[in-house]
Amino acid sequence: MKFSSGIFFSFVLGLISFVISSLGMYLLLNDPDKEPEVLLVSFSIGGIVFVVSYFALQIYTKRKFKKIYRSIGIVYEKNGDIFGKDAQLEIENWLNKKTTEIQKLKSTEAYRREFFGNLAHELKTPVFSVEGYILTLLEGGLEDESINRKFLNKAAKGIDRITNVIADMDTITKIESGNLKLNLKRISLFELIKNILSELEDLAENHEIKVTLEKPSVAEIFVTADKLRLEQVVTNLVSNSIYYGKKGGESVISAKEIAKGKILVKVTDNGLGIAKEHLPRLFERFYRVEKSRDRNLGGSGIGLAIVKHIVEAHNQKISVESNLDKGTTFSFTLDKA
């Protein structure tokens, strides 16, 4: 039996009972020849008081502790000493758990505030621009042929941007909730990349960026993936390499087998680069490295978050390496078909 405050308290009660009963019986009998009998009876009374008080205290405190534990979410299942280390460890573990939960809730609350603030900012910019163009047209600009079509086109672009933000939000919500099902098929990777580069050719020319597919060591690589989602991943990464590239720079896409059954795809540019402190948060929704610059490019702000979710939905990994003014490399893996 462990020595604890419960044993000590019961021992004190037993000792007091022993002393009182001894003194009482001695005074009552006042017979020196009866001292052994007095001591035996007093010791018995003290022992009985010790045992009864100890177990009574255990039962009482266990009942009280169980009520307290239930109120704070702990089920006490120990049969040991209620005053011992078991109870103390249970409470300490509970306190540590609740402290961690509180810290997580605070972090989640901070992220929620930041997220909704960023979302409102993302929508506010195009909404205000569309509102301004339409009000100008309603106040007389509609009859002015020199500006009516121009302003209508700008308003349409603002609406397209709002639509893109909502569509991307819908996509990432489906992915996170598990409602987006992947249609996995055998896909020609090089053919998919070449088609995307062909679609982005005008964008690359406008930004004076040379985009190429690195000469592969094999004629073709086939992967198992959802074609539509994989196109979304590659398009987003290549578009970013164009947007944040330097005039006269280049963006190179490469793909090779790095292990049996694993394909590594890289998108590398020699553009503006990203500071080290931004890399850990780069795949967060609406996280901006340079907010004013990024919004001028017209992105939804959650493209990289979608890319990360799509890659992870394929049970693959994505990473980023970057240096300021030297360029950025995004890498992700795929399963070879």
Side-chain angles (χ1 to χ4, degrees):
M1 184 178 292
K2 299 176 183 177
F3 182 80
S4 67
S5 55
I7 296 176
F8 177 76
F9 181 71
S10 301
F11 175 76
V12 171
L13 285 179
L15 183 61
I16 293 173
S17 301
F18 170 76
V19 173
I20 292 174
S21 60
S22 298
L23 182 61
M25 292 184 68
Y26 179 77
L27 292 175
L28 180 64
L29 297 174
N30 197 18
D31 185 354
D33 294 335
K34 297 291 185 180
E35 284 186 4
E37 289 83 351
V38 170
L39 290 174
L40 179 61
V41 173
S42 299
F43 181 78
S44 300
I45 292 173
I48 292 171
V49 170
F50 168 77
V51 173
V52 171
S53 62
Y54 176 76
F55 284 103
L57 189 61
Q58 284 286 317
I59 293 171
Y60 174 78
T61 50
K62 279 186 178 181
R63 287 177 180 175
K64 293 298 182 182
F65 268 61
K66 284 180 179 179
K67 289 182 180 180
I68 296 172
Y69 286 178
R70 280 196 295 269
S71 69
I72 62 177
I74 297 178
V75 178
Y76 186 75
E77 297 177 346
K78 306 289 184 182
N79 294 320
D81 187 359
I82 195 70
F83 297 99
K85 293 183 179 179
D86 291 334
Q88 183 180 353
L89 289 174
E90 291 256 0
I91 294 173
E92 288 179 355
N93 290 335
W94 178 83
L95 286 173
N96 291 334
K97 180 181 177 183
K98 291 304 176 184
T99 301
T100 302
E101 289 179 359
I102 290 171
Q103 290 174 346
K104 287 182 179 179
L105 287 173
K106 288 182 178 179
S107 177
T108 302
E109 176 64 17
Y111 175 77
R112 185 189 66 82
R113 288 196 300 267
E114 182 181 0
F115 169 74
F116 281 109
N118 288 333
L119 177 59
H121 202 91
E122 291 294 335
L123 293 175
K124 181 174 66 176
T125 302
V127 167
F128 283 176
S129 65
V130 170
E131 182 183 32
Y133 293 135
I134 292 177
L135 286 175
T136 301
L137 292 172
L138 291 176
E139 290 173 357
L142 191 62
E143 285 74 28
D144 188 342
E145 294 183 359
S146 63
I147 66 170
N148 55 12
R149 183 172 294 277
K150 178 182 178 182
F151 276 30
L152 283 173
N153 286 330
K154 289 185 176 182
K157 288 182 179 179
I159 293 172
D160 286 341
R161 183 173 173 182
I162 295 172
T163 303
N164 290 336
V165 171
I166 295 172
D168 285 348
M169 284 296 299
D170 181 60
T171 299
I172 202 168
T173 301
K174 287 180 178 178
I175 295 173
E176 290 180 344
S177 62
N179 294 326
L180 187 65
K181 304 300 180 182
L182 296 179
N183 183 20
L184 300 178
K185 291 184 177 180
R186 186 172 184 266
I187 300 170
S188 168
L189 182 59
F190 291 150
E191 181 181 347
L192 181 143
I193 293 174
K194 289 175 182 177
N195 289 337
I196 291 173
L197 296 187
S198 177
E199 292 175 3
L200 296 176
E201 187 176 353
D202 290 340
L203 179 66
E205 289 181 358
N206 291 336
H207 286 78
E208 299 181 21
I209 302 293
K210 181 182 179 182
V211 183
T212 58
L213 171 63
E214 185 177 88
K215 187 176 181 180
S217 58
V218 293
E220 185 57 273
I221 292 177
F222 291 93
V223 296
T224 301
D226 184 310
K227 184 177 181 181
L228 180 62
R229 298 303 169 188
L230 182 57
E231 287 176 346
Q232 199 171 357
V233 169
V234 177
T235 300
N236 188 288
L237 295 180
V238 175
S239 298
N240 282 349
S241 71
I242 294 172
Y243 283 129
Y244 303 126
K246 297 176 181 178
K247 285 188 176 182
E250 63 176 347
S251 176
V252 180
I253 301 91
S254 64
K256 63 179 180 179
E257 187 171 359
I258 56 172
K260 189 175 182 181
K262 283 292 180 184
I263 305 298
L264 180 66
V265 182
K266 287 186 177 182
V267 179
T268 304
D269 64 68
N270 58 354
L272 302 177
I274 304 166
K276 298 294 183 182
E277 62 266 23
H278 295 298
L279 295 181
R281 299 190 62 188
L282 199 60
F283 294 101
E284 290 182 15
R285 286 175 287 183
F286 296 119
Y287 182 75
R288 300 288 194 175
V289 175
E290 293 179 27
K291 296 187 177 181
S292 59
R293 183 195 69 186
D294 286 1
R295 283 195 180 89
N296 291 335
L297 296 177
S300 68
I302 55 177
L304 287 178
I306 292 176
V307 165
K308 181 175 184 290
H309 280 292
I310 291 175
V311 171
E312 290 180 349
H314 284 78
N315 296 318
Q316 305 299 323
K317 294 182 179 180
I318 184 169
S319 61
V320 56
E321 297 176 2
S322 186
N323 290 294
L324 280 176
D325 298 321
K326 292 184 179 181
T328 304
T329 297
F330 285 92
S331 307
F332 65 94
T333 57
L334 291 169
D335 285 330
K336 185 178 180 181

